[in-house]
Amino acid sequence: MPDEQMAGPGSAPGSPGGAPGASGVPPVTPRPLDPIDRSIMRLLQADGRASIRSVAEQVHVSRANAYARINRLIDDGVIRGFTARVNHERAGQGASAYITLKIVQNSWRTVREQLRELPGAAHIALVSGDFDVLLLVHTPDNRTLRELVLTRLQAIPEVLSTRTLLVFEETDLLDAGPGPGPVGGSPALTEE
């Protein structure tokens, strides 16, 4: 049977980088997930390139059932897409930092769009507490990081203040285990 691709990067519906309703679309009621759905999600988070056959075997359902469940999770927006987890240091992005920002009230959408344009921006979150925005960035070195904070971020008129927290070490909790994962091939889920 030829390989059948289920979904590619960014093929699932949803508003990128936003919470439900953040794009003006009314929030959707979450759909209840059973233990098999949750197991499928855990497996795909650990290895987004897992074959349907492998997923089906590990959760003890037929390939047709696994295929239908995965497609339903994609269609319902539970699974938003498939991506690669990158070792930023090996990719030449050896300096990482979380940057907290205080911003002008009601400027979130404007600030978010400007932060998306920053080189190395990996995650942006509107949060509660002592600051308003949490930004994760990866840069080649500390000099580039300093330029990003002092020149780019502080030039945004709606940014009132920033605080930079350097990342010394990080652990990816989604790692499937020791050793490198599969290399090459399509990042999409396939049926063997």
Side-chain angles (χ1 to χ4, degrees):
M1 176 180 248
D3 282 354
E4 180 177 330
Q5 292 188 348
M6 291 213 11
S11 64
S15 58
S23 62
V25 177
V28 177
T29 304
R31 116 177 181 36
L33 303 176
D34 65 20
I36 293 172
D37 290 332
R38 293 187 189 286
S39 293
I40 288 171
M41 288 182 349
R42 273 192 301 276
L43 288 169
L44 293 177
Q45 283 179 304
D47 181 6
R49 296 174 56 199
S51 69
I52 292 177
R53 177 184 298 173
S54 171
V55 170
E57 288 172 359
Q58 292 182 65
V59 299
H60 309 291
V61 297
S62 70
R63 286 192 331 197
N65 188 339
Y67 185 86
R69 283 174 176 268
I70 292 168
N71 275 331
R72 187 175 65 238
L73 290 168
I74 291 168
D75 291 344
D76 288 351
V78 174
I79 295 176
R80 297 184 303 163
F82 298 87
T83 185
R85 292 191 313 272
V86 175
N87 179 323
H88 295 284
E89 193 169 352
R90 288 189 176 194
Q93 302 289 306
S96 296
Y98 287 95
I99 303 169
T100 65
L101 296 87
K102 288 187 181 181
I103 61 173
V104 172
Q105 189 172 3
N106 297 324
S107 66
W108 163 241
R109 286 178 181 83
T110 303
V111 170
R112 179 182 58 198
E113 294 313 309
Q114 294 177 72
L115 296 178
R116 282 182 174 171
E117 301 300 319
L118 291 175
H123 183 83
I124 305 165
L126 178 66
V127 296
S128 66
D130 293 337
F131 49 88
D132 304 305
V133 178
L134 183 63
L135 169 67
L136 172 61
V137 297
H138 304 288
T139 62
D141 52 40
N142 284 341
R143 179 180 302 259
T144 308
L145 177 60
R146 186 187 76 196
E147 282 299 310
L148 184 128
V149 173
L150 296 180
T151 305
R152 301 285 300 270
L153 277 179
Q154 293 184 0
I156 298 172
E158 296 85 1
V159 172
L160 302 173
S161 67
T162 65
R163 176 173 280 166
T164 303
L165 306 160
L166 292 177
V167 175
F168 295 130
E169 184 177 317
E170 58 186 323
T171 301
D172 187 350
L173 299 178
L174 296 177
D175 268 341
V183 177
S186 168
L189 189 66
T190 59
E191 182 169 352
E192 286 183 348

CSV table of all heavy atoms in Angstrom, one decimal, residues 98-137:
chain,number,residue,atom,x,y,z
A,98,TYR,N,14.0,34.2,27.9
A,98,TYR,CA,12.6,34.6,28.0
A,98,TYR,C,12.6,36.1,28.3
A,98,TYR,O,13.4,36.5,29.2
A,98,TYR,CB,11.9,33.8,29.2
A,98,TYR,CG,11.6,32.4,28.9
A,98,TYR,CD1,12.5,31.4,29.2
A,98,TYR,CD2,10.5,32.0,28.2
A,98,TYR,CE1,12.3,30.1,28.9
A,98,TYR,CE2,10.2,30.7,27.9
A,98,TYR,CZ,11.1,29.7,28.2
A,98,TYR,OH,10.8,28.4,27.9
A,99,ILE,N,11.8,36.8,27.7
A,99,ILE,CA,11.8,38.3,27.9
A,99,ILE,C,10.4,38.6,28.3
A,99,ILE,O,9.4,38.3,27.6
A,99,ILE,CB,12.2,39.0,26.6
A,99,ILE,CG1,13.6,38.6,26.1
A,99,ILE,CG2,12.1,40.5,26.8
A,99,ILE,CD1,13.9,39.1,24.7
A,100,THR,N,10.3,39.3,29.5
A,100,THR,CA,9.0,39.8,29.9
A,100,THR,C,8.8,41.2,29.5
A,100,THR,O,9.8,42.0,29.5
A,100,THR,CB,8.9,39.7,31.4
A,100,THR,OG1,9.8,40.5,32.1
A,100,THR,CG2,9.1,38.2,31.9
A,101,LEU,N,7.6,41.6,29.1
A,101,LEU,CA,7.3,42.9,28.6
A,101,LEU,C,6.1,43.5,29.4
A,101,LEU,O,5.1,42.8,29.5
A,101,LEU,CB,7.0,43.0,27.1
A,101,LEU,CG,8.1,42.6,26.2
A,101,LEU,CD1,8.1,41.1,25.9
A,101,LEU,CD2,7.9,43.3,24.8
A,102,LYS,N,6.2,44.8,29.7
A,102,LYS,CA,5.1,45.5,30.2
A,102,LYS,C,4.7,46.4,29.0
A,102,LYS,O,5.6,47.0,28.4
A,102,LYS,CB,5.4,46.4,31.4
A,102,LYS,CG,5.5,45.6,32.7
A,102,LYS,CD,5.7,46.5,33.9
A,102,LYS,CE,5.9,45.6,35.1
A,102,LYS,NZ,6.0,46.4,36.3
A,103,ILE,N,3.4,46.4,28.6
A,103,ILE,CA,3.0,47.1,27.5
A,103,ILE,C,1.8,48.1,27.8
A,103,ILE,O,1.2,47.9,28.8
A,103,ILE,CB,2.5,46.1,26.3
A,103,ILE,CG1,1.3,45.3,26.7
A,103,ILE,CG2,3.7,45.3,25.9
A,103,ILE,CD1,0.8,44.4,25.6
A,104,VAL,N,1.6,49.0,26.9
A,104,VAL,CA,0.5,49.9,27.0
A,104,VAL,C,-0.8,49.1,27.0
A,104,VAL,O,-1.0,48.2,26.2
A,104,VAL,CB,0.5,51.0,25.9
A,104,VAL,CG1,-0.7,51.8,25.9
A,104,VAL,CG2,1.8,51.8,25.9
A,105,GLN,N,-1.7,49.5,27.9
A,105,GLN,CA,-3.0,48.8,28.0
A,105,GLN,C,-3.7,48.8,26.6
A,105,GLN,O,-3.7,49.8,25.9
A,105,GLN,CB,-3.9,49.5,29.1
A,105,GLN,CG,-5.1,48.7,29.4
A,105,GLN,CD,-5.9,49.3,30.6
A,105,GLN,OE1,-5.5,50.3,31.1
A,105,GLN,NE2,-7.0,48.7,31.0
A,106,ASN,N,-4.3,47.7,26.3
A,106,ASN,CA,-5.1,47.5,25.1
A,106,ASN,C,-4.2,47.6,23.8
A,106,ASN,O,-4.7,47.8,22.7
A,106,ASN,CB,-6.2,48.5,24.9
A,106,ASN,CG,-7.3,48.4,26.0
A,106,ASN,OD1,-7.5,47.2,26.5
A,106,ASN,ND2,-7.8,49.5,26.5
A,107,SER,N,-2.9,47.3,23.9
A,107,SER,CA,-2.1,47.3,22.7
A,107,SER,C,-1.6,45.9,22.3
A,107,SER,O,-0.7,45.8,21.5
A,107,SER,CB,-0.8,48.2,23.0
A,107,SER,OG,0.0,47.7,24.0
A,108,TRP,N,-2.2,44.9,23.0
A,108,TRP,CA,-1.7,43.5,22.7
A,108,TRP,C,-1.6,43.1,21.3
A,108,TRP,O,-0.6,42.6,20.8
A,108,TRP,CB,-2.6,42.5,23.5
A,108,TRP,CG,-2.5,41.1,23.1
A,108,TRP,CD1,-3.5,40.3,22.6
A,108,TRP,CD2,-1.4,40.3,23.1
A,108,TRP,NE1,-3.1,39.1,22.3
A,108,TRP,CE2,-1.7,39.0,22.6
A,108,TRP,CE3,0.0,40.4,23.4
A,108,TRP,CZ2,-0.9,37.9,22.4
A,108,TRP,CZ3,0.9,39.4,23.3
A,108,TRP,CH2,0.4,38.1,22.8
A,109,ARG,N,-2.7,43.4,20.5
A,109,ARG,CA,-2.7,42.9,19.1
A,109,ARG,C,-1.6,43.6,18.3
A,109,ARG,O,-1.0,43.0,17.5
A,109,ARG,CB,-4.1,43.2,18.5
A,109,ARG,CG,-5.1,42.2,19.0
A,109,ARG,CD,-6.5,42.4,18.4
A,109,ARG,NE,-7.5,41.5,18.9
A,109,ARG,CZ,-8.1,41.5,20.1
A,109,ARG,NH1,-7.9,42.5,20.9
A,109,ARG,NH2,-9.0,40.6,20.4
A,110,THR,N,-1.4,44.9,18.5
A,110,THR,CA,-0.4,45.6,17.8
A,110,THR,C,1.0,45.1,18.2
A,110,THR,O,1.8,44.9,17.3
A,110,THR,CB,-0.5,47.1,18.2
A,110,THR,OG1,-1.8,47.6,17.8
A,110,THR,CG2,0.5,48.0,17.4
A,111,VAL,N,1.2,44.9,19.5
A,111,VAL,CA,2.5,44.4,20.0
A,111,VAL,C,2.8,43.0,19.4
A,111,VAL,O,3.9,42.7,19.0
A,111,VAL,CB,2.6,44.5,21.5
A,111,VAL,CG1,3.8,43.8,22.0
A,111,VAL,CG2,2.6,45.9,22.0
A,112,ARG,N,1.8,42.2,19.5
A,112,ARG,CA,1.9,40.8,19.0
A,112,ARG,C,2.4,40.8,17.6
A,112,ARG,O,3.3,40.0,17.2
A,112,ARG,CB,0.6,40.0,19.2
A,112,ARG,CG,0.7,38.6,18.7
A,112,ARG,CD,-0.6,37.9,18.8
A,112,ARG,NE,-1.6,38.6,18.1
A,112,ARG,CZ,-3.0,38.4,18.2
A,112,ARG,NH1,-3.4,37.6,19.1
A,112,ARG,NH2,-3.8,39.1,17.5
A,113,GLU,N,1.8,41.6,16.7
A,113,GLU,CA,2.2,41.6,15.3
A,113,GLU,C,3.6,42.0,15.1
A,113,GLU,O,4.4,41.5,14.3
A,113,GLU,CB,1.2,42.5,14.5
A,113,GLU,CG,-0.2,41.9,14.4
A,113,GLU,CD,-0.3,40.5,14.1
A,113,GLU,OE1,0.3,40.0,13.1
A,113,GLU,OE2,-1.0,39.7,14.8
A,114,GLN,N,4.1,43.0,15.9
A,114,GLN,CA,5.5,43.4,15.9
A,114,GLN,C,6.4,42.4,16.4
A,114,GLN,O,7.5,42.2,15.9
A,114,GLN,CB,5.6,44.8,16.6
A,114,GLN,CG,4.8,45.9,15.9
A,114,GLN,CD,5.0,47.2,16.7
A,114,GLN,OE1,6.0,47.8,16.7
A,114,GLN,NE2,3.9,47.6,17.3
A,115,LEU,N,6.0,41.7,17.5
A,115,LEU,CA,6.9,40.6,18.0
A,115,LEU,C,7.0,39.5,17.1
A,115,LEU,O,8.1,38.8,17.0
A,115,LEU,CB,6.3,40.2,19.4
A,115,LEU,CG,6.3,41.2,20.5
A,115,LEU,CD1,5.7,40.6,21.7
A,115,LEU,CD2,7.7,41.7,20.8
A,116,ARG,N,6.0,39.2,16.3
A,116,ARG,CA,6.1,38.1,15.3
A,116,ARG,C,7.2,38.3,14.3
A,116,ARG,O,7.7,37.4,13.7
A,116,ARG,CB,4.7,37.9,14.6
A,116,ARG,CG,3.7,37.2,15.4
A,116,ARG,CD,2.4,37.1,14.5
A,116,ARG,NE,1.5,36.2,15.3
A,116,ARG,CZ,0.2,36.1,14.9
A,116,ARG,NH1,-0.2,36.6,13.8
A,116,ARG,NH2,-0.6,35.3,15.6
A,117,GLU,N,7.5,39.6,14.0
A,117,GLU,CA,8.5,39.9,13.0
A,117,GLU,C,9.9,39.9,13.5
A,117,GLU,O,10.8,40.0,12.7
A,117,GLU,CB,8.2,41.4,12.5
A,117,GLU,CG,6.8,41.5,11.8
A,117,GLU,CD,6.6,40.6,10.6
A,117,GLU,OE1,7.5,40.4,9.8
A,117,GLU,OE2,5.5,40.0,10.5
A,118,LEU,N,10.1,39.7,14.8
A,118,LEU,CA,11.4,39.7,15.4
A,118,LEU,C,12.2,38.4,15.0
A,118,LEU,O,11.6,37.3,15.0
A,118,LEU,CB,11.4,39.7,16.9
A,118,LEU,CG,10.9,41.0,17.6
A,118,LEU,CD1,10.8,40.8,19.1
A,118,LEU,CD2,11.8,42.1,17.2
A,119,PRO,N,13.4,38.5,14.6
A,119,PRO,CA,14.2,37.3,14.2
A,119,PRO,C,14.4,36.5,15.5
A,119,PRO,O,14.8,37.1,16.5
A,119,PRO,CB,15.5,37.9,13.7
A,119,PRO,CG,15.6,39.3,14.2
A,119,PRO,CD,14.2,39.8,14.4
A,120,GLY,N,14.1,35.2,15.4
A,120,GLY,CA,14.4,34.3,16.6
A,120,GLY,C,13.2,34.2,17.5
A,120,GLY,O,13.3,33.4,18.5
A,121,ALA,N,12.1,35.0,17.3
A,121,ALA,CA,11.0,34.8,18.2
A,121,ALA,C,10.4,33.5,18.0
A,121,ALA,O,10.1,33.0,16.9
A,121,ALA,CB,9.9,35.9,17.9
A,122,ALA,N,10.2,32.7,19.2
A,122,ALA,CA,9.7,31.4,19.1
A,122,ALA,C,8.4,31.2,19.8
A,122,ALA,O,7.6,30.3,19.4
A,122,ALA,CB,10.7,30.4,19.8
A,123,HIS,N,8.1,32.0,20.8
A,123,HIS,CA,6.8,31.9,21.5
A,123,HIS,C,6.4,33.2,22.1
A,123,HIS,O,7.2,33.9,22.6
A,123,HIS,CB,6.9,30.8,22.6
A,123,HIS,CG,5.6,30.5,23.3
A,123,HIS,ND1,4.7,29.7,22.8
A,123,HIS,CD2,5.1,31.0,24.5
A,123,HIS,CE1,3.7,29.7,23.7
A,123,HIS,NE2,3.9,30.5,24.7
A,124,ILE,N,5.1,33.6,21.9
A,124,ILE,CA,4.6,34.8,22.5
A,124,ILE,C,3.4,34.5,23.3
A,124,ILE,O,2.5,33.8,22.7
A,124,ILE,CB,4.3,35.8,21.3
A,124,ILE,CG1,5.5,36.1,20.4
A,124,ILE,CG2,3.8,37.1,21.9
A,124,ILE,CD1,5.1,36.7,19.1
A,125,ALA,N,3.3,35.0,24.5
A,125,ALA,CA,2.1,34.8,25.3
A,125,ALA,C,1.6,36.0,26.0
A,125,ALA,O,2.5,36.7,26.6
A,125,ALA,CB,2.3,33.6,26.3
A,126,LEU,N,0.3,36.3,26.0
A,126,LEU,CA,-0.2,37.3,26.8
A,126,LEU,C,-0.5,36.7,28.2
A,126,LEU,O,-1.2,35.6,28.2
A,126,LEU,CB,-1.5,37.9,26.2
A,126,LEU,CG,-2.3,38.9,26.9
A,126,LEU,CD1,-1.5,40.2,27.0
A,126,LEU,CD2,-3.7,39.2,26.2
A,127,VAL,N,0.0,37.3,29.2
A,127,VAL,CA,-0.1,36.6,30.5
A,127,VAL,C,-0.6,37.6,31.6
A,127,VAL,O,-0.7,38.8,31.4
A,127,VAL,CB,1.3,36.0,31.0
A,127,VAL,CG1,1.7,34.9,30.0
A,127,VAL,CG2,2.3,37.1,31.1
A,128,SER,N,-1.0,37.0,32.7
A,128,SER,CA,-1.4,37.9,33.9
A,128,SER,C,-0.2,38.0,34.8
A,128,SER,O,0.7,37.2,34.8
A,128,SER,CB,-2.6,37.3,34.6
A,128,SER,OG,-2.3,36.1,35.1
A,129,GLY,N,-0.3,38.9,35.7
A,129,GLY,CA,0.8,39.0,36.8
A,129,GLY,C,1.5,40.4,36.7
A,129,GLY,O,0.9,41.4,36.3
A,130,ASP,N,2.8,40.3,37.0
A,130,ASP,CA,3.6,41.6,37.1
A,130,ASP,C,4.0,42.1,35.8
A,130,ASP,O,4.5,43.2,35.7
A,130,ASP,CB,4.9,41.3,37.9
A,130,ASP,CG,4.5,41.0,39.4
A,130,ASP,OD1,3.5,41.4,39.9
A,130,ASP,OD2,5.4,40.4,40.1
A,131,PHE,N,3.8,41.3,34.7
A,131,PHE,CA,4.1,41.8,33.4
A,131,PHE,C,3.0,41.3,32.4
A,131,PHE,O,2.1,40.6,32.9
A,131,PHE,CB,5.5,41.3,32.9
A,131,PHE,CG,5.8,39.9,33.1
A,131,PHE,CD1,5.4,38.9,32.2
A,131,PHE,CD2,6.4,39.4,34.3
A,131,PHE,CE1,5.6,37.6,32.4
A,131,PHE,CE2,6.6,38.1,34.5
A,131,PHE,CZ,6.2,37.1,33.5
A,132,ASP,N,3.0,41.8,31.2
A,132,ASP,CA,1.9,41.5,30.3
A,132,ASP,C,2.2,40.4,29.2
A,132,ASP,O,1.3,39.7,28.8
A,132,ASP,CB,1.5,42.8,29.6
A,132,ASP,CG,1.2,43.9,30.5
A,132,ASP,OD1,0.3,43.7,31.4
A,132,ASP,OD2,1.8,45.0,30.4
A,133,VAL,N,3.4,40.4,28.8
A,133,VAL,CA,3.8,39.5,27.7
A,133,VAL,C,5.0,38.7,28.0
A,133,VAL,O,6.0,39.2,28.7
A,133,VAL,CB,4.1,40.3,26.4
A,133,VAL,CG1,4.5,39.4,25.2
A,133,VAL,CG2,2.8,41.1,26.0
A,134,LEU,N,5.0,37.4,27.7
A,134,LEU,CA,6.2,36.6,27.8
A,134,LEU,C,6.6,36.2,26.4
A,134,LEU,O,5.8,35.7,25.6
A,134,LEU,CB,5.9,35.4,28.6
A,134,LEU,CG,7.0,34.4,28.9
A,134,LEU,CD1,8.1,35.1,29.8
A,134,LEU,CD2,6.5,33.2,29.7
A,135,LEU,N,7.9,36.5,26.1
A,135,LEU,CA,8.4,36.2,24.8
A,135,LEU,C,9.6,35.3,24.9
A,135,LEU,O,10.5,35.6,25.7
A,135,LEU,CB,8.9,37.5,24.1
A,135,LEU,CG,9.7,37.5,22.8
A,135,LEU,CD1,8.9,37.0,21.7
A,135,LEU,CD2,10.2,38.9,22.5
A,136,LEU,N,9.7,34.2,24.1
A,136,LEU,CA,10.9,33.3,24.1
A,136,LEU,C,11.6,33.6,22.7
A,136,LEU,O,10.9,33.6,21.7
A,136,LEU,CB,10.4,31.9,24.1
A,136,LEU,CG,11.5,30.8,23.9
A,136,LEU,CD1,12.6,30.9,24.9
A,136,LEU,CD2,10.9,29.4,23.9
A,137,VAL,N,12.9,33.9,22.8
A,137,VAL,CA,13.7,34.1,21.6
A,137,VAL,C,14.9,33.2,21.6
A,137,VAL,O,15.4,32.8,22.7
A,137,VAL,CB,14.1,35.6,21.5
A,137,VAL,CG1,12.9,36.5,21.3
A,137,VAL,CG2,15.0,36.0,22.6
